[in-house]
Amino acid sequence: MSPTIYMIILSTLATGTIITMTSYHWLMAWVGLELNTLAVIPIISTMHHPRSTEAATKYFLTQAAASALILFSSMTNAWNTGSWDITQPLTPPSYILLTMALAMKLGLAPLHFWLPEVIQGSTMTTAFIITTWQKIAPMSLIFLTMNNLSTSIFLLMGLLSSLVGGWGGLNQTQTRKIMAYSSIAHLGWMATISSIMTNILIMNLLIYLIMTTSVFLSLIISKSKTIQDTTSTWTLSPTLTIIMMLSLLSLGGLPPLTGFIPKWLIMEELILQNFNLLISMMAASSLLSLFFYLRLTYTTALTLSPNTTQTKFKWRFYPNTLTMFITIPATISIFLLPMTPLILL
């Protein structure tokens, strides 16, 4: 794909998200989501390969179905109430349809099946766009309509997502699929807190985006598509090995790192609201996620794979990708924990 066309597609993608985030009319929100979907499809299918074509088709079908559900829910709501305003109360059929549509857009369990498949069929950069930028528009709609949506449905979907994200990632060897299940688990944590405290939801989303950016940039620079590929990261750059290890541990939510902030605050808030059983199950499911993060950190930083003489090492040539962009997300995803009181203000 030529750089000009690629830039046009990326700017369309950004425009779609911004339109959805800034609109208070259901029709404009839907237009933004459609722009978003149509811009991502050519990015997924740039690799002329059956798997990327299949991924683009799956992505198109799920996103088109979700967008149609959003349009249908807003139309039935306008029919009953006479209002197209996003912030106005919704009728029960409309909010049930909207909840399902937003869950499908994000990849929340039980509507998560498309996400690992689409991410596995696309390139690392495309997977990075789908797991980060593509979550912003649906999350902004959840933020705007949270007062009208069902708390119990979101709590249940959040619990299911954290369990599915934990169990699903255990058996994976592909780093893209591991990141997909990691995304499902993190979205589960966001869904549980969304109906209780929206400011923690926004903070969790921002921290998730920064940590995922850091990990994906590490994987893109080191060209690590499978767990076995990560074992030769040390030949490329010892510094990158350390950054990748700490970013993965942060994504797992270990205490001295940034990833612990959202888990700590969400646990605290849910315990205050007396959701003790729910938070116990979610804490247990985060241990499952932590297992596959630890496995990745172990292979990255502590393992020398049994190499034959024909093994292709990643020699330290001048890097093709810009390594400058990793510095800010990596620093934030490791050192932000002491700033928690400032974030809470």
Side-chain angles (χ1 to χ4, degrees), residues 4-36:
T4 316
I5 295 171
Y6 196 61
M7 281 312 296
I8 292 167
I9 288 171
L10 284 182
S11 55
T12 311
L13 187 69
T15 309
T17 305
I18 292 162
I19 288 172
T20 305
M21 285 173 72
T22 53
S23 61
Y24 280 92
H25 193 285
W26 276 114
L27 211 56
M28 285 308 291
W30 173 78
V31 165
L33 289 169
E34 282 299 304
L35 268 175
N36 221 326

Side-chain angles (χ1 to χ4, degrees), residues 138-276:
M139 269 297 174
S140 64
L141 283 179
I142 286 179
F143 179 76
L144 286 169
T145 56
M146 202 56 246
N147 296 332
N148 311 320
L149 299 178
S150 168
T151 305
S152 49
I153 291 175
F154 267 93
L155 287 171
L156 188 63
M157 284 201 303
L159 175 62
L160 258 176
S161 299
S162 58
L163 286 167
V164 165
W167 282 117
L170 288 180
N171 205 25
Q172 303 301 330
T173 54
Q174 303 281 332
T175 50
R176 277 167 295 185
K177 272 202 172 174
I178 287 173
M179 291 308 291
Y181 283 107
S182 149
S183 174
I184 293 166
H186 277 273
L187 287 167
W189 282 83
M190 284 181 237
T192 48
I193 200 64
S194 61
S195 55
I196 297 162
M197 275 191 85
T198 43
N199 56 348
I200 294 182
L201 164 71
I202 298 296
M203 184 212 64
N204 193 349
L205 178 64
L206 288 172
I207 287 176
Y208 159 76
L209 292 176
I210 291 162
M211 291 190 302
T212 310
T213 303
S214 177
V215 172
F216 260 112
L217 288 175
S218 305
L219 293 172
I220 289 165
I221 292 164
S222 63
K223 296 184 176 64
S224 302
K225 290 190 176 69
T226 61
I227 290 180
Q228 193 181 357
D229 290 346
T230 60
T231 55
S232 55
T233 312
W234 61 274
T235 59
L236 183 70
S237 162
T239 317
L240 183 67
T241 311
I242 295 163
I243 287 172
M244 198 162 155
M245 178 186 78
L246 289 172
S247 299
L248 281 162
L249 291 176
S250 184
L251 206 57
L254 280 183
L257 304 162
T258 308
F260 181 59
I261 302 172
K263 283 192 168 57
W264 167 29
L265 296 177
I266 291 170
M267 278 182 169
E268 189 179 9
E269 192 55 42
L270 288 175
I271 288 166
L272 280 174
Q273 302 289 340
N274 281 329
F275 292 115
N276 296 327

Side-chain angles (χ1 to χ4, degrees), residues 1 57 103 133 145 180 213 222 298:
M1 189 185 288
T57 312
W133 187 258
T145 56
T213 303
S222 63
Y298 180 72

